C-alpha cells in the first residue's frame, strides 16, 4: 500500500485559521473549498460543512493552548486533519443517501502525512504571510524606497 499525498490545501487553510482574522480565514477556506470541488468528486455542501466544523475545533483549541509557533501549528494541523476527515465521514452518513466509506487507516495516514509536511510548511507560510500581508513590512519597504522628485 502506498503513502497518501498530503492535503497541502488543508495545511494552508489551518495556517490561515490560526494567523488570520476569523471572517477572512473562513472566507478564504470556503474559496479553496469551492476550488477543491472541481478537482474531486466531493460535493460542495460536504466540503464547506467539514471546513466549518474544522474551523470551530481549531479555533477553540488555538484559544486554549498557551503555546505558539511551529509546535502548536503541527499539533493543530494533525487535529484539524482528523477533524476534517471524520467530520466529512459523519456528515456524509447523515445527509447523503450513499455515504462515503469509513477507511479508518487511510484517514489516519492522511492526517499523519499532513502532520509531517506541516513542519516545513509552517516556515514557508510564515515567510509568505509576512512578505505578502504584513502592513508594517510594506510601510518599511515603501518608505525605504521613496523617490524624491526634482523640480
Amino acid at each position: 500500500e502506498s503513502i497518501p499525498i498530503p492535503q497541502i490545501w488543508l495545511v494552508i487553510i489551518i495556517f490561515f485559521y490560526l494567523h488570520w482574522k476569523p471572517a477572512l480565514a473562513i472566507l478564504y477556506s470556503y474559496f479553496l473549498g469551492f476550488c477543491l470541488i472541481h478537482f474531486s468528486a466531493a460535493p460542495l455542501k460536504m466540503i464547506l460543512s467539514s471546513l466549518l466544523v474544522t474551523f470551530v475545533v481549531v479555533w477553540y483549541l488555538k484559544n486554549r493552548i498557551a503555546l505558539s509557533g511551529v509546535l502548536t501549528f503541527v499539533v493543530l494541523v494533525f487535529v484539524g486533519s482528523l477533524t476534517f476527515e471524520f467530520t466529512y465521514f459523519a456528515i456524509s452518513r447523515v445527509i447523503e443517501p450513499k455515504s462515503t466509506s469509513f477507511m479508518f487507516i487511510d484517514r489516519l495516514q492522511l492526517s499523519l502525512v499532513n502532520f509531517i509536511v506541516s513542519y516545513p510548511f509552517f516556515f514557508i507560510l510564515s515567510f509568505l504571510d509576512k512578505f505578502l500581508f504584513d502592513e508594517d513590512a510594506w510601510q518599511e519597504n515603501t518608505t525605504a524606497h521613496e523617490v524624491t522628485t526634482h523640480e
Side-chain angles (χ1 to χ4, degrees), residues 33 37 40-50 88 92 95-96:
I37 65 167
S40 70
L44 184 61
K45 63 185 174 189
M46 298 294 299
I47 295 293
L48 298 185
S49 301
S50 300
Y88 188 91
S92 175
I95 66 174
E96 290 187 321

Side-chain angles (χ1 to χ4, degrees), residues 40-59:
S40 70
L44 184 61
K45 63 185 174 189
M46 298 294 299
I47 295 293
L48 298 185
S49 301
S50 300
L51 286 173
L52 186 60
V53 171
T54 303
F55 170 78
V56 169
V57 170
V58 168
W59 188 255

Side-chain angles (χ1 to χ4, degrees), residues 58-147:
V58 168
W59 188 255
Y60 176 80
L61 291 175
K62 171 195 169 201
N63 292 328
R64 300 294 181 264
I65 296 175
L67 301 172
S68 63
V70 70
L71 178 62
T72 302
F73 179 67
V74 296
V75 168
L76 289 177
V77 164
F78 181 68
V79 171
S81 295
L82 284 175
T83 301
F84 180 82
E85 292 299 325
F86 290 108
T87 300
Y88 188 91
F89 170 75
I91 293 172
S92 175
R93 291 290 268 197
V94 171
I95 66 174
E96 290 187 321
K98 185 173 173 141
S99 64
T100 187
S101 56
F102 187 55
M103 302 181 303
F104 176 76
I105 299 298
D106 290 336
R107 293 179 192 276
L108 182 61
Q109 277 183 333
L110 194 53
S111 296
L112 287 170
V113 169
N114 288 347
F115 170 76
I116 291 167
V117 301
S118 66
Y119 184 79
F121 266 89
F122 174 79
F123 299 104
I124 294 167
L125 293 171
S126 293
F127 171 77
L128 289 174
D129 190 46
K130 183 169 177 55
F131 181 72
L132 297 173
F133 301 110
D134 186 12
E135 292 178 21
D136 294 332
W138 279 88
Q139 287 293 335
E140 289 173 15
N141 203 9
T142 55
T143 56
H145 300 293
E146 281 186 6
V147 178

